[in-house]
PDB file of all heavy atoms in Angstrom:
ATOM      1  N   ASP A 658      73.205 119.443 101.808  1.00 94.00           N
ATOM      2  CA  ASP A 658      72.125 118.861 102.578  1.00 94.00           C
ATOM      3  C   ASP A 658      72.673 118.250 104.058  1.00 94.00           C
ATOM      4  O   ASP A 658      72.210 118.414 104.991  1.00 94.00           O
ATOM      5  CB  ASP A 658      71.495 117.661 101.849  1.00 94.00           C
ATOM      6  CG  ASP A 658      70.530 118.225 100.755  1.00 94.00           C
ATOM      7  OD1 ASP A 658      70.399 119.529 100.618  1.00 94.00           O
ATOM      8  OD2 ASP A 658      70.183 117.466  99.856  1.00 94.00           O
ATOM      9  N   HIS A 659      73.872 117.610 103.730  1.00 96.00           N
ATOM     10  CA  HIS A 659      74.498 116.963 105.020  1.00 96.00           C
ATOM     11  C   HIS A 659      74.926 118.185 105.982  1.00 96.00           C
ATOM     12  O   HIS A 659      74.645 117.964 107.193  1.00 96.00           O
ATOM     13  CB  HIS A 659      75.584 116.193 104.550  1.00 96.00           C
ATOM     14  CG  HIS A 659      76.243 115.250 105.554  1.00 96.00           C
ATOM     15  ND1 HIS A 659      75.582 114.050 105.768  1.00 96.00           N
ATOM     16  CD2 HIS A 659      77.275 115.386 106.330  1.00 96.00           C
ATOM     17  CE1 HIS A 659      76.276 113.432 106.692  1.00 96.00           C
ATOM     18  NE2 HIS A 659      77.333 114.149 107.102  1.00 96.00           N
ATOM     19  N   VAL A 660      75.479 119.113 105.509  1.00 96.00           N
ATOM     20  CA  VAL A 660      75.856 120.296 106.437  1.00 96.00           C
ATOM     21  C   VAL A 660      74.699 120.901 107.028  1.00 96.00           C
ATOM     22  O   VAL A 660      74.730 121.161 108.320  1.00 96.00           O
ATOM     23  CB  VAL A 660      76.668 121.368 105.643  1.00 96.00           C
ATOM     24  CG1 VAL A 660      76.860 122.654 106.437  1.00 96.00           C
ATOM     25  CG2 VAL A 660      78.015 120.784 105.294  1.00 96.00           C
ATOM     26  N   GLU A 661      73.581 121.198 106.183  1.00 94.00           N
ATOM     27  CA  GLU A 661      72.450 121.848 106.741  1.00 94.00           C
ATOM     28  C   GLU A 661      71.740 120.918 107.905  1.00 94.00           C
ATOM     29  O   GLU A 661      71.283 121.445 108.928  1.00 94.00           O
ATOM     30  CB  GLU A 661      71.407 122.088 105.678  1.00 94.00           C
ATOM     31  CG  GLU A 661      71.864 123.246 104.841  1.00 94.00           C
ATOM     32  CD  GLU A 661      70.869 123.594 103.728  1.00 94.00           C
ATOM     33  OE1 GLU A 661      70.250 122.580 103.189  1.00 94.00           O
ATOM     34  OE2 GLU A 661      70.910 124.706 103.323  1.00 94.00           O
ATOM     35  N   ALA A 662      71.692 119.645 107.556  1.00 95.00           N
ATOM     36  CA  ALA A 662      71.055 118.681 108.668  1.00 95.00           C
ATOM     37  C   ALA A 662      71.896 118.696 109.836  1.00 95.00           C
ATOM     38  O   ALA A 662      71.331 118.631 110.926  1.00 95.00           O
ATOM     39  CB  ALA A 662      70.964 117.291 107.910  1.00 95.00           C
ATOM     40  N   ALA A 663      73.108 118.622 109.825  1.00 95.00           N
ATOM     41  CA  ALA A 663      74.091 118.624 111.024  1.00 95.00           C
ATOM     42  C   ALA A 663      73.969 119.890 111.693  1.00 95.00           C
ATOM     43  O   ALA A 663      73.826 120.011 113.000  1.00 95.00           O
ATOM     44  CB  ALA A 663      75.407 118.339 110.578  1.00 95.00           C
ATOM     45  N   ALA A 664      73.808 120.996 111.080  1.00 95.00           N
ATOM     46  CA  ALA A 664      73.776 122.337 111.704  1.00 95.00           C
ATOM     47  C   ALA A 664      72.372 122.785 112.142  1.00 95.00           C
ATOM     48  O   ALA A 664      72.142 123.530 113.117  1.00 95.00           O
ATOM     49  CB  ALA A 664      74.275 123.449 110.769  1.00 95.00           C
ATOM     50  N   GLY A 665      71.347 122.105 111.569  1.00 95.00           N
ATOM     51  CA  GLY A 665      70.002 122.416 111.926  1.00 95.00           C
ATOM     52  C   GLY A 665      69.507 123.740 111.400  1.00 95.00           C
ATOM     53  O   GLY A 665      68.658 124.393 111.860  1.00 95.00           O
ATOM     54  N   LYS A 666      70.250 124.228 110.327  1.00 94.00           N
ATOM     55  CA  LYS A 666      69.920 125.439 109.661  1.00 94.00           C
ATOM     56  C   LYS A 666      70.420 125.541 108.237  1.00 94.00           C
ATOM     57  O   LYS A 666      71.262 124.685 107.840  1.00 94.00           O
ATOM     58  CB  LYS A 666      70.398 126.653 110.514  1.00 94.00           C
ATOM     59  CG  LYS A 666      71.865 126.679 110.830  1.00 94.00           C
ATOM     60  CD  LYS A 666      72.197 127.797 111.838  1.00 94.00           C
ATOM     61  CE  LYS A 666      73.550 127.738 112.471  1.00 94.00           C
ATOM     62  NZ  LYS A 666      73.845 128.727 113.423  1.00 94.00           N
ATOM     63  N   SER A 667      69.986 126.488 107.525  1.00 91.00           N
ATOM     64  CA  SER A 667      70.351 126.587 106.042  1.00 91.00           C
ATOM     65  C   SER A 667      71.766 127.165 105.973  1.00 91.00           C
ATOM     66  O   SER A 667      72.333 127.727 106.810  1.00 91.00           O
ATOM     67  CB  SER A 667      69.406 127.498 105.373  1.00 91.00           C
ATOM     68  OG  SER A 667      69.557 128.856 105.746  1.00 91.00           O
ATOM     69  N   ILE A 668      72.272 126.857 104.757  1.00 90.00           N
ATOM     70  CA  ILE A 668      73.635 127.482 104.599  1.00 90.00           C
ATOM     71  C   ILE A 668      73.692 128.958 104.638  1.00 90.00           C
ATOM     72  O   ILE A 668      74.485 129.668 105.339  1.00 90.00           O
ATOM     73  CB  ILE A 668      74.136 127.123 103.177  1.00 90.00           C
ATOM     74  CG1 ILE A 668      74.338 125.637 103.149  1.00 90.00           C
ATOM     75  CG2 ILE A 668      75.383 127.721 102.722  1.00 90.00           C
ATOM     76  CD1 ILE A 668      74.565 124.963 101.730  1.00 90.00           C
ATOM     77  N   ARG A 669      72.583 129.546 104.127  1.00 87.00           N
ATOM     78  CA  ARG A 669      72.468 131.069 104.363  1.00 87.00           C
ATOM     79  C   ARG A 669      72.541 131.448 105.806  1.00 87.00           C
ATOM     80  O   ARG A 669      73.180 132.361 106.150  1.00 87.00           O
ATOM     81  CB  ARG A 669      71.135 131.493 103.651  1.00 87.00           C
ATOM     82  CG  ARG A 669      70.928 133.051 103.926  1.00 87.00           C
ATOM     83  CD  ARG A 669      69.519 133.521 103.293  1.00 87.00           C
ATOM     84  NE  ARG A 669      69.609 133.589 101.851  1.00 87.00           N
ATOM     85  CZ  ARG A 669      70.143 134.620 101.178  1.00 87.00           C
ATOM     86  NH1 ARG A 669      70.779 135.504 101.813  1.00 87.00           N
ATOM     87  NH2 ARG A 669      70.243 134.629  99.811  1.00 87.00           N
ATOM     88  N   ASP A 670      71.870 130.693 106.693  1.00 91.00           N
ATOM     89  CA  ASP A 670      71.867 131.010 108.185  1.00 91.00           C
ATOM     90  C   ASP A 670      73.231 130.696 108.758  1.00 91.00           C
ATOM     91  O   ASP A 670      73.684 131.506 109.591  1.00 91.00           O
ATOM     92  CB  ASP A 670      70.864 130.210 108.804  1.00 91.00           C
ATOM     93  CG  ASP A 670      69.485 130.803 108.543  1.00 91.00           C
ATOM     94  OD1 ASP A 670      69.139 131.881 108.056  1.00 91.00           O
ATOM     95  OD2 ASP A 670      68.303 130.054 108.738  1.00 91.00           O
ATOM     96  N   ILE A 671      73.869 129.688 108.264  1.00 93.00           N
ATOM     97  CA  ILE A 671      75.278 129.446 108.738  1.00 93.00           C
ATOM     98  C   ILE A 671      76.219 130.485 108.396  1.00 93.00           C
ATOM     99  O   ILE A 671      76.880 131.059 109.257  1.00 93.00           O
ATOM    100  CB  ILE A 671      75.837 128.013 108.186  1.00 93.00           C
ATOM    101  CG1 ILE A 671      74.956 126.910 108.691  1.00 93.00           C
ATOM    102  CG2 ILE A 671      77.244 127.922 108.544  1.00 93.00           C
ATOM    103  CD1 ILE A 671      75.259 125.559 107.887  1.00 93.00           C
ATOM    104  N   PHE A 672      76.128 130.978 107.181  1.00 89.00           N
ATOM    105  CA  PHE A 672      76.910 132.129 106.749  1.00 89.00           C
ATOM    106  C   PHE A 672      76.673 133.307 107.612  1.00 89.00           C
ATOM    107  O   PHE A 672      77.498 134.051 108.064  1.00 89.00           O
ATOM    108  CB  PHE A 672      76.736 132.451 105.281  1.00 89.00           C
ATOM    109  CG  PHE A 672      77.615 131.804 104.357  1.00 89.00           C
ATOM    110  CD1 PHE A 672      77.541 130.416 104.015  1.00 89.00           C
ATOM    111  CD2 PHE A 672      78.474 132.539 103.625  1.00 89.00           C
ATOM    112  CE1 PHE A 672      78.466 129.917 103.229  1.00 89.00           C
ATOM    113  CE2 PHE A 672      79.506 131.901 102.771  1.00 89.00           C
ATOM    114  CZ  PHE A 672      79.353 130.549 102.517  1.00 89.00           C
ATOM    115  N   ALA A 673      75.333 133.672 107.817  1.00 90.00           N
ATOM    116  CA  ALA A 673      74.913 134.787 108.574  1.00 90.00           C
ATOM    117  C   ALA A 673      75.271 134.730 109.987  1.00 90.00           C
ATOM    118  O   ALA A 673      75.673 135.754 110.626  1.00 90.00           O
ATOM    119  CB  ALA A 673      73.441 135.034 108.464  1.00 90.00           C
ATOM    120  N   THR A 674      75.157 133.647 110.720  1.00 95.00           N
ATOM    121  CA  THR A 674      75.448 133.516 112.146  1.00 95.00           C
ATOM    122  C   THR A 674      76.723 133.022 112.517  1.00 95.00           C
ATOM    123  O   THR A 674      77.293 133.546 113.603  1.00 95.00           O
ATOM    124  CB  THR A 674      74.279 132.636 112.856  1.00 95.00           C
ATOM    125  OG1 THR A 674      74.439 131.328 112.294  1.00 95.00           O
ATOM    126  CG2 THR A 674      72.975 133.196 112.584  1.00 95.00           C
ATOM    127  N   ASP A 675      77.375 132.219 111.756  1.00 95.00           N
ATOM    128  CA  ASP A 675      78.635 131.658 112.167  1.00 95.00           C
ATOM    129  C   ASP A 675      79.801 132.082 111.171  1.00 95.00           C
ATOM    130  O   ASP A 675      80.991 131.971 111.541  1.00 95.00           O
ATOM    131  CB  ASP A 675      78.517 130.151 111.989  1.00 95.00           C
ATOM    132  CG  ASP A 675      77.489 129.573 112.954  1.00 95.00           C
ATOM    133  OD1 ASP A 675      77.157 130.196 113.910  1.00 95.00           O
ATOM    134  OD2 ASP A 675      76.877 128.412 112.540  1.00 95.00           O
ATOM    135  N   GLY A 676      79.476 132.552 109.970  1.00 92.00           N
ATOM    136  CA  GLY A 676      80.445 133.036 109.083  1.00 92.00           C
ATOM    137  C   GLY A 676      80.893 131.951 108.039  1.00 92.00           C
ATOM    138  O   GLY A 676      80.561 130.685 108.263  1.00 92.00           O
ATOM    139  N   GLU A 677      81.472 132.312 106.901  1.00 90.00           N
ATOM    140  CA  GLU A 677      81.973 131.487 105.990  1.00 90.00           C
ATOM    141  C   GLU A 677      82.955 130.468 106.421  1.00 90.00           C
ATOM    142  O   GLU A 677      82.873 129.309 106.094  1.00 90.00           O
ATOM    143  CB  GLU A 677      82.393 132.174 104.672  1.00 90.00           C
ATOM    144  CG  GLU A 677      82.844 131.274 103.592  1.00 90.00           C
ATOM    145  CD  GLU A 677      83.303 131.966 102.207  1.00 90.00           C
ATOM    146  OE1 GLU A 677      83.246 133.144 102.153  1.00 90.00           O
ATOM    147  OE2 GLU A 677      83.588 131.243 101.285  1.00 90.00           O
ATOM    148  N   LEU A 678      83.866 130.925 107.299  1.00 94.00           N
ATOM    149  CA  LEU A 678      84.958 129.965 107.706  1.00 94.00           C
ATOM    150  C   LEU A 678      84.302 128.787 108.365  1.00 94.00           C
ATOM    151  O   LEU A 678      84.736 127.656 108.308  1.00 94.00           O
ATOM    152  CB  LEU A 678      85.845 130.708 108.691  1.00 94.00           C
ATOM    153  CG  LEU A 678      87.088 129.838 109.145  1.00 94.00           C
ATOM    154  CD1 LEU A 678      87.883 129.302 108.031  1.00 94.00           C
ATOM    155  CD2 LEU A 678      87.900 130.655 110.090  1.00 94.00           C
ATOM    156  N   ALA A 679      83.287 129.015 109.283  1.00 95.00           N
ATOM    157  CA  ALA A 679      82.539 127.954 110.036  1.00 95.00           C
ATOM    158  C   ALA A 679      81.850 127.002 109.118  1.00 95.00           C
ATOM    159  O   ALA A 679      81.830 125.836 109.194  1.00 95.00           O
ATOM    160  CB  ALA A 679      81.612 128.533 111.013  1.00 95.00           C
ATOM    161  N   PHE A 680      81.293 127.638 108.024  1.00 94.00           N
ATOM    162  CA  PHE A 680      80.690 126.781 106.941  1.00 94.00           C
ATOM    163  C   PHE A 680      81.618 125.893 106.328  1.00 94.00           C
ATOM    164  O   PHE A 680      81.428 124.761 106.106  1.00 94.00           O
ATOM    165  CB  PHE A 680      79.920 127.575 105.887  1.00 94.00           C
ATOM    166  CG  PHE A 680      79.425 126.855 104.772  1.00 94.00           C
ATOM    167  CD1 PHE A 680      78.375 125.968 104.815  1.00 94.00           C
ATOM    168  CD2 PHE A 680      80.182 126.855 103.617  1.00 94.00           C
ATOM    169  CE1 PHE A 680      78.027 125.186 103.801  1.00 94.00           C
ATOM    170  CE2 PHE A 680      79.781 126.122 102.507  1.00 94.00           C
ATOM    171  CZ  PHE A 680      78.671 125.181 102.634  1.00 94.00           C
ATOM    172  N   ARG A 681      82.769 126.477 105.961  1.00 95.00           N
ATOM    173  CA  ARG A 681      83.881 125.654 105.218  1.00 95.00           C
ATOM    174  C   ARG A 681      84.382 124.581 106.073  1.00 95.00           C
ATOM    175  O   ARG A 681      84.672 123.437 105.536  1.00 95.00           O
ATOM    176  CB  ARG A 681      84.891 126.591 104.731  1.00 95.00           C
ATOM    177  CG  ARG A 681      84.567 127.606 103.752  1.00 95.00           C
ATOM    178  CD  ARG A 681      84.131 127.006 102.380  1.00 95.00           C
ATOM    179  NE  ARG A 681      83.478 128.007 101.515  1.00 95.00           N
ATOM    180  CZ  ARG A 681      82.658 127.818 100.525  1.00 95.00           C
ATOM    181  NH1 ARG A 681      82.312 126.517 100.258  1.00 95.00           N
ATOM    182  NH2 ARG A 681      82.238 128.691  99.751  1.00 95.00           N
ATOM    183  N   GLU A 682      84.521 124.806 107.387  1.00 97.00           N
ATOM    184  CA  GLU A 682      84.804 123.676 108.256  1.00 97.00           C
ATOM    185  C   GLU A 682      83.870 122.683 108.340  1.00 97.00           C
ATOM    186  O   GLU A 682      84.220 121.494 108.190  1.00 97.00           O
ATOM    187  CB  GLU A 682      85.000 124.319 109.718  1.00 97.00           C
ATOM    188  CG  GLU A 682      86.260 125.130 110.001  1.00 97.00           C
ATOM    189  CD  GLU A 682      87.593 124.384 109.717  1.00 97.00           C
ATOM    190  OE1 GLU A 682      87.642 123.238 110.255  1.00 97.00           O
ATOM    191  OE2 GLU A 682      88.538 124.947 109.253  1.00 97.00           O
ATOM    192  N   ARG A 683      82.510 123.001 108.497  1.00 97.00           N
ATOM    193  CA  ARG A 683      81.474 121.990 108.373  1.00 97.00           C
ATOM    194  C   ARG A 683      81.593 121.245 106.994  1.00 97.00           C
ATOM    195  O   ARG A 683      81.199 119.964 106.989  1.00 97.00           O
ATOM    196  CB  ARG A 683      80.119 122.702 108.503  1.00 97.00           C
ATOM    197  CG  ARG A 683      79.878 123.181 109.966  1.00 97.00           C
ATOM    198  CD  ARG A 683      78.543 123.909 110.021  1.00 97.00           C
ATOM    199  NE  ARG A 683      78.392 124.645 111.171  1.00 97.00           N
ATOM    200  CZ  ARG A 683      77.685 124.159 112.293  1.00 97.00           C
ATOM    201  NH1 ARG A 683      76.990 123.033 112.088  1.00 97.00           N
ATOM    202  NH2 ARG A 683      77.389 124.964 113.329  1.00 97.00           N
ATOM    203  N   GLU A 684      81.701 121.967 105.918  1.00 96.00           N
ATOM    204  CA  GLU A 684      81.857 121.342 104.586  1.00 96.00           C
ATOM    205  C   GLU A 684      82.959 120.306 104.569  1.00 96.00           C
ATOM    206  O   GLU A 684      82.770 119.095 103.997  1.00 96.00           O
ATOM    207  CB  GLU A 684      81.963 122.439 103.575  1.00 96.00           C
ATOM    208  CG  GLU A 684      82.022 121.926 102.133  1.00 96.00           C
ATOM    209  CD  GLU A 684      82.127 123.079 101.204  1.00 96.00           C
ATOM    210  OE1 GLU A 684      83.183 123.840 101.294  1.00 96.00           O
ATOM    211  OE2 GLU A 684      81.211 123.265 100.324  1.00 96.00           O
ATOM    212  N   SER A 685      84.041 120.667 105.147  1.00 97.00           N
ATOM    213  CA  SER A 685      85.216 119.716 105.106  1.00 97.00           C
ATOM    214  C   SER A 685      85.041 118.510 105.870  1.00 97.00           C
ATOM    215  O   SER A 685      85.370 117.420 105.498  1.00 97.00           O
ATOM    216  CB  SER A 685      86.542 120.442 105.600  1.00 97.00           C
ATOM    217  OG  SER A 685      86.887 121.465 104.692  1.00 97.00           O
ATOM    218  N   GLU A 686      84.330 118.628 107.041  1.00 97.00           N
ATOM    219  CA  GLU A 686      83.934 117.572 107.865  1.00 97.00           C
ATOM    220  C   GLU A 686      82.974 116.617 107.153  1.00 97.00           C
ATOM    221  O   GLU A 686      83.108 115.399 107.222  1.00 97.00           O
ATOM    222  CB  GLU A 686      83.356 118.035 109.309  1.00 97.00           C
ATOM    223  CG  GLU A 686      84.204 118.670 110.123  1.00 97.00           C
ATOM    224  CD  GLU A 686      83.668 119.445 111.251  1.00 97.00           C
ATOM    225  OE1 GLU A 686      82.406 119.292 111.552  1.00 97.00           O
ATOM    226  OE2 GLU A 686      84.373 120.132 111.966  1.00 97.00           O
ATOM    227  N   ALA A 687      82.026 117.211 106.506  1.00 97.00           N
ATOM    228  CA  ALA A 687      80.959 116.428 105.706  1.00 97.00           C
ATOM    229  C   ALA A 687      81.716 115.633 104.600  1.00 97.00           C
ATOM    230  O   ALA A 687      81.378 114.491 104.393  1.00 97.00           O
ATOM    231  CB  ALA A 687      79.886 117.375 105.182  1.00 97.00           C
ATOM    232  N   LEU A 688      82.591 116.219 103.947  1.00 97.00           N
ATOM    233  CA  LEU A 688      83.318 115.562 102.827  1.00 97.00           C
ATOM    234  C   LEU A 688      84.100 114.367 103.317  1.00 97.00           C
ATOM    235  O   LEU A 688      84.078 113.328 102.770  1.00 97.00           O
ATOM    236  CB  LEU A 688      84.168 116.580 102.002  1.00 97.00           C
ATOM    237  CG  LEU A 688      83.590 117.559 101.175  1.00 97.00           C
ATOM    238  CD1 LEU A 688      84.691 118.599 100.698  1.00 97.00           C
ATOM    239  CD2 LEU A 688      82.976 117.028  99.943  1.00 97.00           C
ATOM    240  N   THR A 689      84.801 114.574 104.436  1.00 96.00           N
ATOM    241  CA  THR A 689      85.630 113.581 105.049  1.00 96.00           C
ATOM    242  C   THR A 689      84.742 112.416 105.358  1.00 96.00           C
ATOM    243  O   THR A 689      84.936 111.233 104.945  1.00 96.00           O
ATOM    244  CB  THR A 689      86.307 114.046 106.198  1.00 96.00           C
ATOM    245  OG1 THR A 689      87.222 115.162 105.840  1.00 96.00           O
ATOM    246  CG2 THR A 689      87.223 112.949 106.819  1.00 96.00           C
ATOM    247  N   GLU A 690      83.587 112.622 105.993  1.00 95.00           N
ATOM    248  CA  GLU A 690      82.715 111.553 106.343  1.00 95.00           C
ATOM    249  C   GLU A 690      82.021 110.902 105.221  1.00 95.00           C
ATOM    250  O   GLU A 690      82.111 109.653 105.024  1.00 95.00           O
ATOM    251  CB  GLU A 690      81.477 112.182 107.255  1.00 95.00           C
ATOM    252  CG  GLU A 690      80.563 111.134 107.577  1.00 95.00           C
ATOM    253  CD  GLU A 690      79.368 111.678 108.360  1.00 95.00           C
ATOM    254  OE1 GLU A 690      79.476 112.645 108.997  1.00 95.00           O
ATOM    255  OE2 GLU A 690      78.324 111.067 108.243  1.00 95.00           O
ATOM    256  N   LEU A 691      81.612 111.737 104.198  1.00 96.00           N
ATOM    257  CA  LEU A 691      80.894 111.091 102.959  1.00 96.00           C
ATOM    258  C   LEU A 691      81.976 110.256 102.056  1.00 96.00           C
ATOM    259  O   LEU A 691      81.493 109.314 101.525  1.00 96.00           O
ATOM    260  CB  LEU A 691      80.187 112.103 102.302  1.00 96.00           C
ATOM    261  CG  LEU A 691      79.040 112.746 103.000  1.00 96.00           C
ATOM    262  CD1 LEU A 691      78.456 113.911 102.212  1.00 96.00           C
ATOM    263  CD2 LEU A 691      77.917 111.764 103.427  1.00 96.00           C
ATOM    264  N   CYS A 692      83.115 110.754 101.971  1.00 94.00           N
ATOM    265  CA  CYS A 692      84.000 110.100 100.992  1.00 94.00           C
ATOM    266  C   CYS A 692      84.404 108.808 101.567  1.00 94.00           C
ATOM    267  O   CYS A 692      84.854 107.883 100.793  1.00 94.00           O
ATOM    268  CB  CYS A 692      85.213 111.022 100.776  1.00 94.00           C
ATOM    269  SG  CYS A 692      84.914 112.347  99.686  1.00 94.00           S
ATOM    270  N   GLN A 693      84.306 108.527 102.923  1.00 93.00           N
ATOM    271  CA  GLN A 693      84.690 107.262 103.472  1.00 93.00           C
ATOM    272  C   GLN A 693      83.636 106.120 103.276  1.00 93.00           C
ATOM    273  O   GLN A 693      83.760 105.031 103.545  1.00 93.00           O
ATOM    274  CB  GLN A 693      84.983 107.453 105.007  1.00 93.00           C
ATOM    275  CG  GLN A 693      86.172 108.148 105.212  1.00 93.00           C
ATOM    276  CD  GLN A 693      86.393 108.474 106.633  1.00 93.00           C
ATOM    277  OE1 GLN A 693      85.652 108.060 107.550  1.00 93.00           O
ATOM    278  NE2 GLN A 693      87.386 109.356 106.992  1.00 93.00           N
ATOM    279  N   ARG A 694      82.320 106.602 102.934  1.00 91.00           N
ATOM    280  CA  ARG A 694      81.219 105.652 102.901  1.00 91.00           C
ATOM    281  C   ARG A 694      81.251 104.715 101.769  1.00 91.00           C
ATOM    282  O   ARG A 694      80.802 103.554 101.873  1.00 91.00           O
ATOM    283  CB  ARG A 694      79.963 106.402 102.833  1.00 91.00           C
ATOM    284  CG  ARG A 694      79.787 107.101 104.150  1.00 91.00           C
ATOM    285  CD  ARG A 694      78.402 107.640 104.206  1.00 91.00           C
ATOM    286  NE  ARG A 694      78.231 108.451 105.558  1.00 91.00           N
ATOM    287  CZ  ARG A 694      77.006 108.959 105.949  1.00 91.00           C
ATOM    288  NH1 ARG A 694      75.957 108.793 105.115  1.00 91.00           N
ATOM    289  NH2 ARG A 694      77.036 109.514 107.086  1.00 91.00           N
ATOM    290  N   GLY A 695      81.898 105.075 100.662  1.00 86.00           N
ATOM    291  CA  GLY A 695      81.993 104.259  99.464  1.00 86.00           C
ATOM    292  C   GLY A 695      80.625 103.777  98.773  1.00 86.00           C
ATOM    293  O   GLY A 695      79.582 103.985  99.383  1.00 86.00           O
ATOM    294  N   THR A 696      80.636 103.246  97.605  1.00 93.00           N
ATOM    295  CA  THR A 696      79.511 102.897  96.870  1.00 93.00           C
ATOM    296  C   THR A 696      78.350 104.090  96.850  1.00 93.00           C
ATOM    297  O   THR A 696      77.280 103.757  97.253  1.00 93.00           O
ATOM    298  CB  THR A 696      78.800 101.573  97.311  1.00 93.00           C
ATOM    299  OG1 THR A 696      80.023 100.667  97.464  1.00 93.00           O
ATOM    300  CG2 THR A 696      77.946 100.969  96.330  1.00 93.00           C
ATOM    301  N   CYS A 697      78.782 105.170  96.471  1.00 97.00           N
ATOM    302  CA  CYS A 697      78.049 106.280  96.532  1.00 97.00           C
ATOM    303  C   CYS A 697      78.305 107.260  95.431  1.00 97.00           C
ATOM    304  O   CYS A 697      79.387 107.369  94.892  1.00 97.00           O
ATOM    305  CB  CYS A 697      78.009 107.017  97.887  1.00 97.00           C
ATOM    306  SG  CYS A 697      79.442 107.732  98.442  1.00 97.00           S
ATOM    307  N   VAL A 698      77.419 108.258  95.205  1.00 98.00           N
ATOM    308  CA  VAL A 698      77.509 109.482  94.386  1.00 98.00           C
ATOM    309  C   VAL A 698      77.459 110.583  95.312  1.00 98.00           C
ATOM    310  O   VAL A 698      76.592 110.801  96.169  1.00 98.00           O
ATOM    311  CB  VAL A 698      76.477 109.514  93.259  1.00 98.00           C
ATOM    312  CG1 VAL A 698      76.744 110.873  92.515  1.00 98.00           C
ATOM    313  CG2 VAL A 698      76.604 108.314  92.334  1.00 98.00           C
ATOM    314  N   ILE A 699      78.471 111.538  95.263  1.00 98.00           N
ATOM    315  CA  ILE A 699      78.481 112.668  96.180  1.00 98.00           C
ATOM    316  C   ILE A 699      78.509 113.941  95.268  1.00 98.00           C
ATOM    317  O   ILE A 699      79.330 114.232  94.483  1.00 98.00           O
ATOM    318  CB  ILE A 699      79.730 112.798  97.112  1.00 98.00           C
ATOM    319  CG1 ILE A 699      79.925 111.512  97.952  1.00 98.00           C
ATOM    320  CG2 ILE A 699      79.853 113.957  97.905  1.00 98.00           C
ATOM    321  CD1 ILE A 699      81.212 111.298  98.452  1.00 98.00           C
ATOM    322  N   ALA A 700      77.441 114.832  95.654  1.00 97.00           N
ATOM    323  CA  ALA A 700      77.396 116.140  94.929  1.00 97.00           C
ATOM    324  C   ALA A 700      77.965 117.103  95.937  1.00 97.00           C
ATOM    325  O   ALA A 700      77.512 117.195  97.157  1.00 97.00           O
ATOM    326  CB  ALA A 700      75.938 116.608  94.577  1.00 97.00           C
ATOM    327  N   THR A 701      79.078 117.848  95.565  1.00 97.00           N
ATOM    328  CA  THR A 701      79.673 118.752  96.504  1.00 97.00           C
ATOM    329  C   THR A 701      79.167 120.117  96.368  1.00 97.00           C
ATOM    330  O   THR A 701      78.500 120.439  95.395  1.00 97.00           O
ATOM    331  CB  THR A 701      81.167 118.862  96.319  1.00 97.00           C
ATOM    332  OG1 THR A 701      81.326 119.390  95.002  1.00 97.00           O
ATOM    333  CG2 THR A 701      81.851 117.432  96.385  1.00 97.00           C
TER     334      THR A 701
END
């Protein structure tokens, strides 16, 4: 959800227009940000 909101498009669309590597980069950025927030549950 975090990646889709930041990109303004679905994961399917990210894969189609930007490729899997771009999606994985966005995913890593989201994980880094979310893991720093604390007091939370994260579904990867």
